[in-house]
């Protein structure tokens, strides 16, 4: 930033451009980890990188293609935005734009859910905000705010765009709650296919996990995988004895 007289956003955009031009360096650092590591890429929070700028997307796509990674985008949104209808609609629009731009399996998360009550009582039950239900109910509350009332028509049309796509919903995260963290990890693992790796099961069994709730037991899944591997080894031994 100092060398090129850039602000924070400009510095981040420059860094992403630079990283894209030097992607071989990043690949060389990641290749030794591929066999037995679960990779997390913690990106900066500047939203411009993920729904306007192309370099971050190209970096991700090159890593997927060259290293055969299965990635999921996890988009964190502060839960307190639910207490302000205008900000909540903005968060929905940002989530949708990011999903369309990145073109990855995508999990939207209302983070800091344990603090949501600190910002005032919600106008609706939490399910309304996580399931992104009929957004027309927000219109009355938006009209109560003089700042939002003047953009009523624009807000209504933006809500219609969000609902027409029907892509956005949220899961919740309380970082202090082990079960909450575990459920999020399971949802991510299902979306990128990690939970299916090494499983030898019927299409019906895969479908049950894919459309079902995130209530499986990792140890049970691991035991099933181990059983199939053992069966394969027994088959190979039988073939060897036969020869």
């Amino acid at each position: 930033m100092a060398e090129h007289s850039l602000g924070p956003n400009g510095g981040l955009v420059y860094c992403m451009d630079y990283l894209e031009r030097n992607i071989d360096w990043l690949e060389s650092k990641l290749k030794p980890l591929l066999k037995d590591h679960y990779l997390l890429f913690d990106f900066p929070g500047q939203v411009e990188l993920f729904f306007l700028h192309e370099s971050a997307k190209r970096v991700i796509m090159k890593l997927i293609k060259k290293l055969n990674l299965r990635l999921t985008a996890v988009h964190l949104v502060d839960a307190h935005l639910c207490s302000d209808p205008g900000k909540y609609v903005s968060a929905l629009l940002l989530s949708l734009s990011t999903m369309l731009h990145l073109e990855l399996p995508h999990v939207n998360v209302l983070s800091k859910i344990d603090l949501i009550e600190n910002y005032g009582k919600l106008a609706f039950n939490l399910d309304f905000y996580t399931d992104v239900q009929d957004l027309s109910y927000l219109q009355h509350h938006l009209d109560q705010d003089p700042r939002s009332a003047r953009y009523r028509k624009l807000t209504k049309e933006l809500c219609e765009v969000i609902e027409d796509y029907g892509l956005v919903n949220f899961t919740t995260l309380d970082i202090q709650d082990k079960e909450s963290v575990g459920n999020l990890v399971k949802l991510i693992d299902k979306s990128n296919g990690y939970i299916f790796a090494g499983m030898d099961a019927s299409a019906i069994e895969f479908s049950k996990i894919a459309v079902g709730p995130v209530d499986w037991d990792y140890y049970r899944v691991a035991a099933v995988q181990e059983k199939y591997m053992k069966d394969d080894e027994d088959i190979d031994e039988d073939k060897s004895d036969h020869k």
Side-chain angles (χ1 to χ4, degrees):
M1 289 167 60
E3 182 179 349
H4 297 285
S5 301
L6 298 171
N9 288 351
L12 285 168
V13 170
Y14 181 95
C15 285
M16 282 297 167
D17 289 342
Y18 190 84
L19 182 60
E20 183 189 359
R21 290 196 298 271
N22 295 276
I23 194 69
D24 292 343
W25 169 83
L26 182 57
E27 289 174 18
S28 68
K29 298 293 184 182
L30 293 173
K31 280 181 180 177
L33 307 175
L34 296 181
K35 184 177 181 181
D36 55 0
H37 285 75
Y38 188 110
L39 303 176
L40 297 175
F41 298 94
D42 184 10
F43 281 87
Q46 266 65 17
V47 297
E48 297 88 345
L49 296 175
F50 308 109
F51 78 95
L52 287 176
H53 199 247
E54 291 291 332
S55 286
K57 178 182 178 179
R58 286 196 290 260
V59 166
I60 293 169
M61 293 304 167
K62 286 179 180 179
L63 293 178
I64 290 174
K65 183 176 181 179
K66 293 186 177 183
L67 301 181
N68 193 29
L69 301 180
R70 294 193 304 272
L71 299 180
T72 290
V74 182
H75 182 216
L76 300 176
V77 175
D78 276 1
H80 76 81
L81 297 181
C82 296
S83 62
D84 184 319
K87 291 180 180 178
Y88 174 67
V89 171
S90 297
L92 291 176
L93 192 61
L94 174 60
S95 299
L96 176 60
S97 301
T98 305
M99 294 173 77
L100 296 175
H101 183 70
L102 291 182
E103 299 178 300
L104 288 172
H106 201 100
V107 177
N108 293 305
V109 182
L110 290 177
S111 64
K112 306 175 186 175
I113 198 67
D114 51 315
L115 304 177
I116 194 169
E117 296 278 331
N118 295 354
Y119 297 92
K121 185 175 177 60
L122 297 180
F124 306 98
N125 291 334
L126 183 60
D127 288 350
F128 175 88
Y129 300 94
T130 56
D131 297 344
V132 190
Q133 298 171 8
D134 190 345
L135 296 179
S136 64
Y137 287 108
L138 285 176
Q139 200 65 52
H140 170 73
H141 294 276
L142 287 165
D143 291 345
Q144 306 306 308
D145 186 345
R147 296 170 301 173
S148 302
R150 61 188 298 188
Y151 302 113
R152 179 177 182 180
K153 184 178 179 181
L154 174 61
T155 304
K156 182 176 180 293
E157 292 181 356
L158 290 175
C159 288
E160 289 175 355
V161 169
I162 294 166
E163 291 184 321
D164 286 346
Y165 273 99
L167 295 176
V168 183
N169 57 27
F170 293 94
T171 188
T172 59
L173 174 63
D174 174 0
I175 197 63
Q176 307 297 331
D177 186 321
K178 182 178 180 180
E179 183 177 356
S180 175
V181 176
N183 286 337
L184 176 57
V185 172
K186 288 179 180 180
L187 186 58
I188 295 167
D189 288 348
K190 185 168 75 169
S191 68
N192 62 21
Y194 178 78
I195 188 63
F196 303 110
M199 288 183 65
D200 185 6
S202 67
I204 294 176
E205 291 301 316
F206 278 120
S207 299
K208 286 180 180 178
I209 296 176
V211 302
V214 288
D215 59 356
W216 64 80
D217 185 335
Y218 276 102
Y219 297 103
R220 177 178 59 79
V221 172
V224 171
Q225 293 175 354
E226 186 176 346
K227 176 183 181 300
Y228 280 118
M229 291 173 64
K230 180 68 168 61
D231 290 344
D232 289 342
E233 290 174 0
D234 292 342
I235 292 172
D236 291 339
E237 288 178 4
D238 290 342
K239 288 180 178 177
S240 298
D241 293 340
H242 180 69
K243 289 178 182 178

